[in-house]
């Protein structure tokens, strides 16, 4: 797994950037979604892929028995997923409103604010 | 020092926003709550500054989980000063929004959003944990996204798309950097990270840490709008109502600068020859590109937007010089420039209310009509350009002094040249909007400034703060020197968070 995931993350980043550079508004949003997935997987991988016990103290013991998996990266990822969910929902609504008011989803047409 | 009231600057805006939401259908009540909440935030922040000044760095271990396992809130002098800045701008913008934000925007939750934004900003200033910083960034960004798009004009939509995209990109980079940092060090508590990287036994190799620091530089650089990552700012900042722009210009980019100063004084100090020289280069290029963009503009808000970029270079210069004086000057500069810049934005809003346009070509003759407004503009503009005896003069003087002491002559020369160009474009606004004859005789808006206190009061307040910053330079700079000393001695911060063993 440790050998596979870096490639997965790399291709996710590559796809995300490819999508971000497209002119279509919808593809831009897909790119942003992929970007956050890639970052989440990166946290997961970089903090060590381990197949150990869950970090729960058993009824019979006083202390956590090592080896155990690190729960923190998963908590971080969970937080990040929730945030990116909210942000993506907002971005979708924004894209729809922008499409309605500019009447195109071509980003090249959206430069009236650039002077 | 443990002090649980440290959480107040986060709780006060939260409660204000929630109260506003309870009165969602009563915009009048929301205004009162919004303004008094901002006033309360200012009071709390001043109290916090005073406590930190007298008793040293304050910490709270949230939920009583000891650092480095739980989330720590830390207020050193730097954080406290920045929270005061948030309070001052919060009050000014809350009053200014009273009438300048139209009824429709207020009915759709303008005041709650503003307070959620303030909460995110204060949280980012006070947190002692890098992942928590990311969360506060997102709180702040979410509120700013909605504030930027609220109203749904075409320009706002286009600006918001760019703003949202680039800020989400920066968040993704920040998140990736956090993941790699956690994999490297096994902690995200800033004090713990600093301690791990400082001790020779447990420190990873300098090259890896420096490479990682570049990811943080890119992430915070986008937020702070430094060269070459600033393009979202002039494309979006001039689209929302001017009260929103003033709040953004005073606080959002400054959170990026705050984070840069924090991580590059506390955590990433292994290879200062490389990182801080790079910061100096970025600082110089940011100043130059920003000011050159500004001199080409004729629309007031766009012109001022480019000046935001240009002025970001100065605190980075102080950070790149990396001496106590340099950092003291940088923090003083951030405070001064946020106030001056927001004042100018608010004045540009008043001008547009008087004449209906932001375009300098179509303005003129305002000195004859509103001489007081012209004087207020002049104080803020000359302070931004750095003419004595204004606050900008002392800020730039101390930066230049710090640069000369470290023999960084090139950046000193650049900063002085950019000051001249800043003065040039301030004089341009003065000439075009206030001094020259009014080009065409159109029908004037029936708007008497003297009777509309909610437009003029915040400007008077901010100009008053600028004057205090200018003439109270002695005691204020003593405070700033103390800030610089604390930043250059991370040991104090580490001890306050992790306890005596640090």
């Amino acid at each position: 797994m440790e050998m596979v995931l870096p490639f997965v993350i790399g291709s996710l980043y590559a796809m995300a950037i490819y999508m971000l550079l497209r002119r279509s508004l919808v593809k831009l949003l897909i790119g942003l979604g992929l970007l956050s997935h890639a970052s989440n997987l990166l946290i997961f991988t970089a903090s060590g892929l381990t197949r150990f016990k869950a970090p729960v103290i058993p009824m019979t013991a006083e202390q956590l028995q090592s080896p155990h998996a690190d729960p923190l990266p998963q908590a971080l990822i969970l937080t990040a997923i929730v945030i990116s969910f909210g942000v993506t929902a907002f971005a979708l609504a924004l894209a729809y409103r922008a499409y309605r008011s500019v009447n195109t989803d071509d980003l090249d047409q959206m430069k009236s604010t650039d002077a | 020092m443990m002090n649980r009231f440290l959480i107040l600057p986060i709780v006060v805006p939260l409660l204000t926003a929630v109260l506003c939401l309870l009165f969602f259908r009563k915009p009048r009540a929301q205004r009162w709550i919004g303004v008094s909440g901002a006033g309360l935030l200012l009071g709390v922040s001043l109290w916090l500054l005073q406590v930190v000044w007298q008793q040293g760095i304050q910490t709270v271990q949230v939920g009583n989980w000891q650092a480095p396992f739980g989330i720590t809130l830390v207020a050193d002098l730097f954080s406290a000063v920045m929270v005061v800045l948030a309070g001052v701008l919060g009050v000014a913008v809350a009053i200014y929004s009273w009438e300048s934000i139209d009824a429709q925007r207020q009915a759709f939750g303008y005041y709650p959003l503003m307070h959620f934004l303030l909460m995110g900003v204060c949280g980012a200033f006070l947190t002692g944990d890098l992942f928590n910083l990311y969360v506060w960034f997102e709180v702040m960004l979410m509120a700013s996204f909605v504030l930027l798009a609220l109203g749904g004009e075409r320009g706002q939509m286009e600006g918001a798309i760019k703003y949202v995209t680039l800020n989400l990109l920066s968040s993704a980079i920040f998140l990736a950097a956090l993941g790699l940092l956690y994999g490297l060090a096994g902690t995200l508590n800033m004090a713990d990270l600093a301690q791990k990287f400082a001790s020779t036994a447990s420190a990873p190799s300098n090259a890896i840490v420096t490479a990682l620091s570049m990811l943080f530089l890119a992430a915070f650089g986008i937020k702070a709008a430094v060269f070459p990552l600033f393009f979202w700012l002039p494309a979006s900042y001039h689209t929302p109502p001017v009260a929103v722009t003033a709040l953004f210009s005073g606080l959002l980019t400054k959170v990026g600068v705050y984070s840069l100063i924090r991580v590059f004084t506390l955590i990433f100090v292994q290879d200062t020859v490389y990182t801080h020289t790079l910061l100096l280069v970025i600082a110089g290029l940011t100043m130059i590109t920003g000011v050159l963009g500004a001199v080409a503009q004729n629309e007031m808000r766009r012109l001022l937007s480019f000046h935001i970029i240009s002025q970001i270079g100065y605190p980075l210069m102080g950070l790149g010089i990396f001496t106590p004086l340099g950092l003291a000057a940088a923090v003083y500069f951030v405070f001064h420039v946020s106030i001056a810049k927001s004042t100018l934005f608010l004045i540009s809003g008043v001008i547009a209310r008087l004449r209906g346009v932001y375009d300098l070509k179509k303005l003129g003759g305002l000195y004859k009509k509103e001489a007081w407004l012209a004087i207020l503009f002049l104080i803020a503009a000359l302070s931004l350009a750095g003419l004595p005896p204004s606050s900008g003069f002392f800020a730039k003087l101390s930066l230049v002094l710090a640069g000369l002491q470290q023999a960084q002559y090139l950046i000193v020369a650049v900063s002085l040249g950019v000051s001249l160009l800043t003065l040039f474009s301030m004089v341009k606004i003065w000439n075009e909007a206030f001094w020259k004859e009014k080009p065409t005789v159109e029908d004037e808006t029936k708007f008497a400034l003297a009777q509309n206190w909610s437009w003029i009061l915040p400007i008077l307040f901010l100009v008053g703060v600028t004057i205090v910053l200018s003439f109270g330079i002695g005691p204020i700079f003593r405070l700033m020197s103390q800030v610089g000393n604390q930043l250059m001695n991370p040991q104090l911060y580490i001890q306050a968070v992790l306890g005596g063993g640090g």
Side-chain angles (χ1 to χ4, degrees), chain B residues 84-309:
Chain B
V84 170
L85 176 66
V88 170
L89 290 175
V91 168
V93 171
I95 299 174
Y96 193 84
S97 309
W98 194 279
E99 275 175 36
S100 74
I101 298 288
D102 52 276
Q104 219 174 356
R105 282 192 173 90
Q106 289 196 1
F108 277 97
Y110 171 79
Y111 273 109
L113 284 167
M114 196 193 113
H115 280 277
F116 280 127
L117 182 77
L118 286 175
M119 175 177 83
V121 169
C122 289
F125 289 151
L126 287 176
T127 185
D129 181 280
L130 274 178
F131 191 79
N132 198 230
L133 180 66
Y134 165 77
V135 175
W136 286 122
F137 265 15
E138 295 301 310
V139 170
M140 180 182 95
L141 282 181
M142 204 64 206
S144 72
F145 290 165
V146 187
L147 276 179
L148 191 66
L150 191 69
E153 290 160 22
R154 182 185 160 146
Q156 281 187 299
M157 289 297 126
E158 293 187 14
I161 292 270
K162 290 160 195 165
Y163 178 81
V164 168
T165 308
L166 279 166
N167 275 296
L168 290 186
L169 184 68
S170 129
S171 296
I173 297 173
F174 189 13
L175 199 56
L178 284 175
L180 294 173
L181 188 63
Y182 184 76
L184 195 65
T187 179
L188 287 175
N189 183 295
M190 291 194 221
D192 200 25
L193 277 171
Q195 198 178 28
K196 282 214 163 102
F197 285 173
S199 71
T200 42
S202 58
S205 87
N206 276 352
I208 298 180
V209 176
T210 307
L212 206 50
S213 75
M214 290 300 110
L215 268 181
F216 280 97
L217 179 62
F220 297 145
I222 295 178
K223 309 255 186 227
V226 301
F227 178 85
L229 308 167
F230 62 78
F231 292 98
W232 57 272
L233 195 149
S236 61
Y237 263 31
H238 62 103
T239 55
V242 79
V244 176
T245 313
L247 191 63
F248 283 15
S249 81
L251 288 178
L252 293 193
T253 50
K254 304 309 177 281
V255 176
V257 174
Y258 165 85
S259 315
L260 279 175
I261 294 182
R262 182 62 86 204
V263 298
F264 280 97
T265 53
L266 188 61
I267 302 172
F268 300 119
V269 285
Q270 289 77 29
D271 192 1
T272 49
V273 178
Y274 178 75
T275 50
H276 289 68
T277 312
L278 182 67
L279 281 169
L280 276 183
V281 173
I282 292 175
L285 289 171
T286 308
M287 289 178 203
I288 296 171
T289 44
V291 87
L292 287 182
V295 291
Q297 295 296 328
N298 268 320
E299 210 259 37
M300 254 186 304
R301 287 178 302 174
R302 293 182 57 84
L303 194 158
L304 292 172
S305 298
F306 273 103
H307 273 299
I308 300 176
I309 299 164

Side-chain angles (χ1 to χ4, degrees), chain A residues 13 20 25 28 32 35 39-40 42-43 46-47 70 72-73 76 79-80 83 86-87 90 94 97-98 101-102 110-115, chain B residues 131 134-135 138 142 145-146 149 152 154-155 157-158 160-162 164-165 168-169 172 175-176 179-180 182-183 188 234-235 238-239 302:
Chain A
Y13 270 122
L20 283 177
L25 196 51
L28 177 84
L32 287 175
L35 204 61
S39 296
N40 289 340
L42 182 65
I43 299 180
S47 49
D70 186 356
L72 192 71
L76 300 184
T79 315
I83 290 174
V87 170
F90 175 78
L94 178 72
R97 275 303 303 271
S101 66
V102 189
M110 294 197 185
K111 47 190 180 188
S112 68
T113 59
D114 285 343
Chain B
F131 191 79
Y134 165 77
V135 175
E138 295 301 310
M142 204 64 206
F145 290 165
V146 187
R154 182 185 160 146
M157 289 297 126
E158 293 187 14
I161 292 270
K162 290 160 195 165
V164 168
T165 308
L168 290 186
L169 184 68
L175 199 56
L180 294 173
Y182 184 76
L188 287 175
H238 62 103
T239 55
R302 293 182 57 84

